Amino acid sequence: MDRSYEPAVVRRIEWAGKKMAPEALLDREWIVSNGLGGYASGTLAGAITRRYHGLLIAALPAPLGRAVMWNHLSDGLHFDDGEVISLAGEERAGGRLSLYGVEHLREFRLEDGLPVWVYQVRDIVLEKRVLLPHLQNTVHVSYRIIEGNAKARLELRPAFHFRHHEIPVNKGKVGPYRLSAVDSRFEIAPPRSGFPTLRMKLYGGEAAFTIAAANFPQVLYRVEQSRGYASEGDLWSPGFFHVDLSADKPATLVGSTEKWEIVEVLDPLQALFAERERRARLLDSAEGKAADGFSAELTFAADQFVITPAGRFEEAARAHAAGDEVRTVIAGYHWFTDWGRDTMISLEGLTLTTGRWLEAGYILRTFAYYVRDGLIPNMFPDGAKEGKYHTADATLWFFHAIQRYMQATKDRTTLKLLLPVMVGIVEQHIRGTRFNIHVDPADGLLAQGEQGYQLTWMDAKMGDWVVTPRRGKAVEINALWYNALCLVADWLHQAGDSHGAAKYEEQAHQARVSFNQRFWYNDGGYLYDVVDCNGEAGSFDTSCRPNQIFAISLDHAVLDQQRWASVLDVVQSKLLTPVGLRSLAPDDPEYKPIYSGDLRSRDGAYHQGTVWAWLIGPFIDAWLQLHPGDNKGAREFLKVFPQHLSDNGVGTISEVFDARNPHFAGGCIAQAWSVAEVLRCWVKTQD
């Protein structure tokens, strides 16, 4: 082990054993991704509390998608005098909580985003690490003694329930699985399940495996319980590995769905050095302001979302034929896949702010291929090769992402390639496309909506219940539409097509005039959320929502400047919180301040008050539009986020928060646009 290694950034959570409440370790989670969409994740205590927790959730080719291939690891130390000390936590139904390692844990930290646990056991200090080699469905769990000379036998019992990561914990076959061994290679295969073989190998001193099959019944997944899902399931183990551990003999247990030639190409030390080198390059590539302190932590967090999607072989072949690569963005961990809207909103923060310009181009060209009837996909279902297109705004965010890419890279070749696609998108919207998305020739505004569909970013739906349908002419859709028209006109001018540009300038002028006439709510001093609701001419929705902020924040602001201050004042007074913007004002009768409970309760609150961290980005953009150069004032709106990185998903930013104090986090523990927008604005507001 290279003891001279100094990570660029460390986030440290110190722990005082029995003196502290173990709940704090259960409520905090860690996550590491592999660049394919796969990941490892769990609680700091070692107990698994979600269906998505495990040491290896592999990203497998369609139609399998992401699968839990290694659920849990019971680890313990055996001493010569017969004492056995367990480190990993587990929880059983009926309140049987076992957090053995809590009293021995001294520290959890992230080193350049990688998780490390430190335990004090008798007179030795033990370090544990979890690492996923990049672009492999492989995990390394490593142990080494960093202080003390005592020897101990390390016992490692892996436990399994092979299933898709969305499958409830009480479904599917839970062992026994077929175990085979040749020399130091072990393979565990679930017969007739379609899942691949899990390969395991223990690196270290004198290692051995003992066959001692065991079933772990009624494991409790407490977060699933709180969310109203099945919360008790069994795990199965074929036996345990054991190896003598000493200061000069570390040990690593490897699990992988890759072929043995891939698993063994790097030993654990080489794999660790390779990942450290890769992470050092991430900081080298980032803008100077994104490579230090808090922004460096977010640069590592951003890396988790930019992936090469596993199993889309046809897509990769097309890209390779053109000298390209396939890239996309996971919208959030644990359960989201790649979403068009989230990708385009996140692209600047995840890739341009971090200097990953080449990958930004890959992402834009990847999505351009998938344009259908003037729309980019709303999302790709897990394990699927084709996307779903039920979105009215993702495609309009595509224009915004291209513009920010062009500002950063001046890549005229990509613009030349994409411009016909973008013109085609605009024309399709003018003529009308799927889901009743069309321009109203009477006012030049963009209308959308079809019964049973949720087409804007406020897209909660349960069964047939669309919580916030927003059918009609939505405020942010038309802010984005105006911005897109202006951008296409600009690009056509740059291409020498002044005649084509003039057409879209005229269309943009009509939309702007109509927008300012129709969306201004004089009595409230802010913008209507929707006009011509459900196709009813002259109707309007006075709900005070954050969607109006885009009328100021985008590159081409559609709202007349004399109204900016009023809108910003209302948004600041009614919607702004320390962790983002509320999705609905507290004085609205539909306002719901708490995001919790079962699926129906959560969906009912998702966009009815719940705070969204990503919205702090457009709010700061609007603030700086109105207060040019006030970086210090704008930075104040971000001051809570460095503290948040030690809560919930350690080292990353959550999807949503409660709308009232103390603003507990909810939803995904790691959300792409939350990380992207906070990082982008942190760099933007740095003097």
Side-chain angles (χ1 to χ4, degrees), residues 45 66 77 124 203 208 262 307 361 375 415 439 504 531 551 563 568 620 626 640 682:
R66 287 179 287 185
L77 296 176
I124 65 173
Y203 290 82
I262 302 298
I307 71 160
L375 302 174
L415 181 60
V439 171
Y504 299 118
V531 301
R563 290 172 173 167
L568 202 61
I620 286 175
L626 191 62
V640 169
W682 188 267

Side-chain angles (χ1 to χ4, degrees), residues 58-67 163-165 193-196 382-384:
L60 303 175
L64 290 174
R66 287 179 287 185
R163 55 178 171 80
H164 189 275
H165 77 156
S193 69
F195 290 114
D382 204 6

Side-chain angles (χ1 to χ4, degrees), residues 67-185:
V68 184
M69 297 300 299
W70 182 0
N71 302 68
H72 189 253
L73 181 64
S74 299
D75 45 7
L77 296 176
H78 293 234
F79 292 92
D80 290 342
D81 59 9
E83 184 179 14
V84 179
I85 296 178
S86 296
L87 302 178
E90 60 185 48
E91 190 169 7
R92 304 289 178 86
R96 286 175 287 164
L97 175 62
S98 299
L99 294 177
Y100 306 109
V102 168
E103 61 184 282
H104 302 288
L105 182 66
R106 292 296 172 263
E107 177 182 278
F108 174 85
R109 66 178 183 266
L110 294 180
E111 292 184 354
D112 292 345
L114 296 174
V116 181
W117 292 258
V118 177
Y119 298 93
Q120 174 96 45
V121 182
R122 298 201 339 184
D123 60 346
I124 65 173
V125 179
L126 179 72
E127 184 181 84
K128 173 183 174 181
R129 295 175 177 271
V130 174
L131 170 73
L132 273 65
H134 195 55
L135 298 182
Q136 289 187 37
N137 285 311
T138 301
V139 63
H140 291 203
V141 186
S142 299
Y143 301 80
R144 71 181 180 116
I145 294 174
I146 57 176
E147 290 182 24
N149 297 315
K151 293 183 179 180
R153 170 160 291 191
L154 178 67
E155 182 177 295
L156 303 171
R157 180 183 277 275
F160 308 98
H161 175 196
F162 295 117
R163 55 178 171 80
H164 189 275
H165 77 156
E166 288 280 12
I167 294 296
V169 298
N170 62 348
K171 301 296 183 183
K173 180 176 174 56
V174 186
Y177 304 133
R178 185 177 65 247
L179 172 69
S180 58
V182 177
D183 294 328
S184 62
R185 294 174 169 182

